[in-house]
Amino acid sequence: MDEWWDLVDAAGVPIGGTFRRGDAGWPGGAFHLVVTVCVYRADGTVLLTQRAPTKEFAFGWEFPGGSAFAGETGPAAACRELLEETNVTVEPEALRRVGRFTEETALVDLFVVQEPSGSALRADPAEVMDWRWVSLSEVTALRQSGVMAEPWGPRLDALWPAAMASILAAPMAL
């Protein structure tokens, strides 16, 4: 299946046009949107997934996510990716964007959301080989130990403090 992305500027504003994943000739100064979701529980743990062996950055740990498709909003893409990878369903309105990290050709938006009651987490083996709930401090320790998927080092350095603050400040439904 071809995956098409909207081209956006550094502020995330569409500049017109799309780009097919894997094609050569990325347009200079353009970006595409990548979304990721930190799902947390009332006990303060967060969901990490381990990338499948067939994926780039195989075996690395991360928050579920991926690229937004052409015509898709960030929150809609985040909900789709979370469902595809973990079988967890959330509504876009439940997501809280905590920050954006700029990479060479991508704008990475990190969202947080509380795990919906009654969730039945089930990893898609094509995407995720394992998953686990970890404490906020364990995320930092995993980052420092080098087991997070490679792109996550700088992303966490930039976005994790805001994500933790958002989680800790959130009212927890039990």
Side-chain angles (χ1 to χ4, degrees), residues 18 27 55 88-89 96 115 119 121 133 137 140 158 171:
T18 56
K55 306 266 304 171
V88 172
T89 301
R96 295 187 315 276
E115 178 190 33
S119 286
L121 194 126
W133 293 95
S137 62
T140 302

Side-chain angles (χ1 to χ4, degrees), residues 48-52 58-62 127-131:
L48 287 181
T49 57
Q50 188 176 30
R51 294 177 68 84
F59 307 107
W61 289 89
E62 64 184 356
E127 301 269 349
V128 174
M129 65 178 285
D130 199 6
W131 56 270

Side-chain angles (χ1 to χ4, degrees), residues 24-41:
W26 183 264
F31 299 87
H32 76 285
L33 182 61
V34 173
V35 295
T36 187
V37 184
C38 176
V39 180
Y40 64 90
R41 287 182 160 170

